[in-house]
Amino acid sequence: HQYSHFSFDEFVYDLTNALSTSESRPERAAEKSIRQLLNPDNSVMEDIKRRFRSEAHQRILLPFLCLLDALLISGILLSGELGRRYNKRKMVIAAGSILFTHLIIMGLLHGSVRFSALLWIAHGLVAFGIFGSFWYLSKDILIYLKRDKTILKKRLVWGARP
């Protein structure tokens, strides 16, 4: 059998020359906080500042977009006739409306890199959608409460017919 042995008492290696700090890579937008994205350094190019701003607004709008999704789905599923035949159609309409909403909002946010006014349009559409959905749901619920107080209870049970 062949036995190899490698031992040493001390080995000093200077890492300052091996790892030069002058070659630092730029931070990506995903690695920065919202505050850093909205207030970038002055040394950053203007195009990258606009991309950072778009990323920050996307992070701000995403929770509200999830709320809008839930309100749209509930508004679509609770409206109109109930029954198995109608539920499939409503689910397809709800999924399509959510997909359409996300495509429009994300398109506006990505377009805001060139045109900053699109940011405010995206914020306005999300706010309008949330308030409009609240208004539609409250109107729908109040109509049914006035007509018959038991219909609301029946509508909240999955698959119950009024």
Side-chain angles (χ1 to χ4, degrees), residues 60-108:
I60 292 168
L61 276 180
L62 194 59
F64 296 106
L65 199 55
C66 292
L67 176 64
L68 178 61
D69 292 346
L71 290 171
L72 280 175
I73 288 172
S74 61
I76 291 170
L77 292 180
L78 290 175
S79 65
E81 295 289 324
L82 294 177
R84 288 185 185 185
R85 184 175 65 197
Y86 300 109
N87 282 341
K88 289 180 185 176
R89 185 181 316 153
K90 286 182 185 181
M91 287 183 202
V92 169
I93 291 171
S97 66
I98 297 304
L99 179 66
F100 180 73
T101 303
H102 279 261
L103 287 175
I104 293 296
I105 298 299
M106 291 304 159
L108 287 171

Side-chain angles (χ1 to χ4, degrees), residues 89-149:
R89 185 181 316 153
K90 286 182 185 181
M91 287 183 202
V92 169
I93 291 171
S97 66
I98 297 304
L99 179 66
F100 180 73
T101 303
H102 279 261
L103 287 175
I104 293 296
I105 298 299
M106 291 304 159
L108 287 171
L109 287 173
H110 288 296
S112 70
V113 172
R114 289 185 179 223
F115 307 105
S116 62
L118 295 179
L119 283 175
W120 304 112
I121 294 172
H123 283 278
L125 284 176
V126 171
F128 178 76
I130 288 173
F131 289 121
S133 296
F134 272 128
W135 174 79
Y136 178 77
L137 285 172
S138 66
K139 184 183 83 158
D140 194 33
I141 289 172
L142 286 176
I143 287 172
Y144 287 109
L145 282 176
K146 287 179 183 176
R147 193 175 83 187
D148 187 2
K149 292 183 180 183

